[in-house]
Amino acid sequence: MTGAGGEQTDGQEVFTGSFTQQEPIPDEAILAASEVLRSGRLHRYNVGPGEVGETARLEQEFAALTGARYCLAVASGGYAISCALRAAGVEPGAPVLTNAFTLAPVPGAIVAAGGRPVFVETGGDLTIDLADLETKATESGARHLVLSHMRGHIGDMDRLLACTEALGLVVIEDCAHTMGATWRGIPSGRHGRVGCFSTQTYKHVNSGEGGLLISDDADTFARAVLLSGSYMLWDRHIAAPGPESFAPILGDVPNISGRMDNLRAAILTPQLKLLDERCAAWTERYRTVERELADVPGLHLFTRPPEEGFVGSSFQFSLPGAAPETLTDLVRACSARGVELKWFGAAEPHGYTSRYSHWAYAAPPELPATDRTLATLLDMRLPLTFTLEDCALIGRIIRGEVQRAMASTG
């Protein structure tokens, strides 16, 4: 792979690549998409007698990949979460717990399902605080948790499941950033009742937009299929339970259309074969940046536990105690040298980056532990169009600018 590379400007190294440029869609996927376009049969249920459509095939293959019994392909990761919540029995106005450190589609999906987001504090390792989870569950009476593996950080799932079982919580996993990741060898998305994934451009497989949900729970999954807009064609799903799961609920579940089409499915299925290779390549890039930033005074790196088989498609670090103006200047200085950092402590949302206090519709309370964590948290994408040499250069630029920022503050 040829990387973006860098150049020297005024005696400084400058990175010249794009943090939003993804890899090309594989030739096999382009061919499959072309065949769907030539057929004119883009709708998932528009198939001939005995024919298996591309969407049904994708569901079957993703279920096999994750070890799940059932899989449903839908229009987006956010839709997958809201569909899962409805299927799992969230009632209008019901409290639904979720991490305070997440992105806007997660509380948006809770609201779309009729629920009320209840934010749980985030610990210093960027994962959900289990003590606050117990407190918020008890205080709110919530019966559901959307567990967001935000930016690919998987918390201690053994402790979390023990906690949620004791509290009687139904767990819906938001795995938008953890497709291909594991905890103690178990694939992300296989710990809760439903695992929800995104196939948006910046995720681990790319169809522009799209989502997948997996489950072993036949009743919940049958409801999800009907909610997604199957009409009376639910029996065309391969990775789904039998008619005994659908018969008792036909007519009771509304059609809230959010299906995936055969075109996007055709683009995705060949990419599943590349997932392990891509995940390893992302993590190699992550470790390259990490090595460059090790032992920089004032810079905190997040330790990844040995039980976590993480995917390093993005990178996070913090500058504990740094003032807002220091972080603003650091982001600006790195940008001038071609490195795009996102700061989760900014007063106003920017681009794709926002935090819980920006979501006024959810009436969030103050969360001091989360505020302390996010106040100095910095984040960046690591697309596979970057080479290891690119990542080393990015790390050197960040290191130099952090050292300069720390020196200027005394």
Side-chain angles (χ1 to χ4, degrees):
M1 179 186 296
T2 301
E7 60 184 30
Q8 289 281 334
T9 301
D10 297 329
Q12 289 188 322
E13 289 184 300
V14 175
F15 182 61
T16 56
S18 168
F19 281 76
T20 58
Q21 180 58 56
Q22 305 305 301
E23 288 189 299
I25 298 299
D27 288 344
E28 182 182 351
I30 293 172
L31 178 60
S34 297
E35 290 176 355
V36 170
L37 290 171
R38 290 191 186 96
S39 75
R41 293 178 172 179
L42 275 66
H43 192 278
R44 70 161 296 156
Y45 299 120
N46 184 204
V47 293
E51 183 181 7
V52 175
E54 290 288 346
T55 310
R57 184 176 293 111
L58 169 67
E59 292 165 344
Q60 187 177 33
E61 295 203 10
F62 193 68
L65 180 70
T66 58
R69 293 181 67 186
Y70 313 125
C71 177
L72 176 67
V74 293
S76 71
Y79 183 91
I81 296 171
S82 64
C83 183
L85 286 169
R86 285 191 180 97
V90 168
E91 299 288 342
V96 177
L97 300 155
T98 193
N99 315 47
F101 179 43
T102 188
L103 289 178
V106 173
I110 293 171
V111 172
R116 173 173 58 85
V118 176
F119 295 110
V120 180
E121 290 273 26
T122 299
D125 62 354
L126 303 184
T127 66
I128 198 165
D129 183 298
L130 296 185
D132 193 53
L133 174 62
E134 184 174 358
T135 298
K136 295 287 172 55
T138 302
E139 291 177 347
S140 68
R143 302 264 53 90
H144 297 81
L145 165 67
V146 178
L147 177 67
S148 181
H149 301 306
M150 177 63 169
R151 283 296 189 256
H153 291 265
I154 302 175
D156 187 328
M157 295 303 295
D158 303 306
R159 291 181 58 219
L160 180 130
L161 291 176
C163 179
T164 55
E165 183 176 355
L167 293 167
L169 294 174
V170 174
V171 178
I172 308 296
E173 287 184 77
D174 164 29
C175 306
H177 302 159
T178 55
M179 183 185 290
T182 60
W183 177 264
R184 292 190 188 275
I186 298 173
S188 183
R190 297 290 289 123
H191 295 89
R193 182 180 295 185
V194 185
C196 300
F197 299 81
S198 172
T199 65
Q200 188 247 29
T201 286
Y202 301 121
K203 304 307 187 293
H204 298 171
V205 292
N206 174 15
S207 61
E209 292 287 356
L212 297 158
L213 60 86
I214 57 173
S215 181
D216 285 351
D217 189 278
D219 292 340
T220 300
F221 192 83
R223 289 181 177 277
V225 170
L226 296 178
L227 284 162
S228 74
S230 65
Y231 300 95
M232 281 57 71
L233 305 174
W234 46 267
D235 59 345
R236 297 190 185 181
H237 288 251
I238 302 172
E244 68 280 358
S245 296
F246 291 91
I249 58 174
L250 294 176
D252 293 336
V253 179
N255 179 326
I256 306 175
S257 295
R259 299 170 298 272
M260 183 179 284
D261 55 81
N262 284 331
L263 179 58
R264 280 184 285 181
I267 293 170
L268 288 169
T269 303
Q271 294 182 57
L272 297 183
K273 302 174 187 176
L274 306 174
L275 184 59
D276 285 348
E277 177 185 330
R278 285 178 171 179
C279 290
W282 264 309
T283 302
E284 195 175 13
R285 282 149 180 77
Y286 181 103
R287 293 300 193 191
T288 299
V289 175
E290 185 180 55
R291 284 192 294 271
E292 291 292 336
L293 297 181
D295 302 320
V296 175
L299 186 150
H300 172 71
L301 295 174
F302 295 92
T303 302
R304 310 306 291 248
E307 298 89 349
E308 180 193 25
F310 75 96
V311 179
S313 53
S314 66
F315 191 93
Q316 296 74 43
F317 65 95
S318 65
L319 301 181
E325 55 269 24
T326 299
L327 291 151
T328 300
D329 290 345
L330 175 64
V331 171
R332 186 181 300 118
C334 287
S335 179
R337 296 179 66 182
V339 175
E340 297 180 14
L341 298 178
K342 303 169 188 176
W343 174 33
F344 276 96
E348 299 296 331
H350 178 73
Y352 294 99
T353 307
S354 60
R355 54 189 170 88
Y356 81 93
S357 59
H358 299 143
W359 307 322
Y361 63 84
E366 290 188 5
L367 297 168
T370 300
D371 289 341
R372 285 193 297 273
T373 296
L374 300 188
T376 64
L377 181 65
L378 294 152
D379 167 81
M380 68 178 175
R381 293 191 182 107
L382 289 176
L384 291 179
T385 46
F386 292 175
T387 64
L388 298 182
E389 291 75 16
D390 291 335
C391 293
L393 170 58
I394 289 165
R396 290 196 301 273
I397 290 171
I398 295 172
R399 183 181 66 210
E401 293 303 332
V402 168
Q403 290 171 335
R404 199 180 335 272
M406 293 296 100
S408 68
T409 60

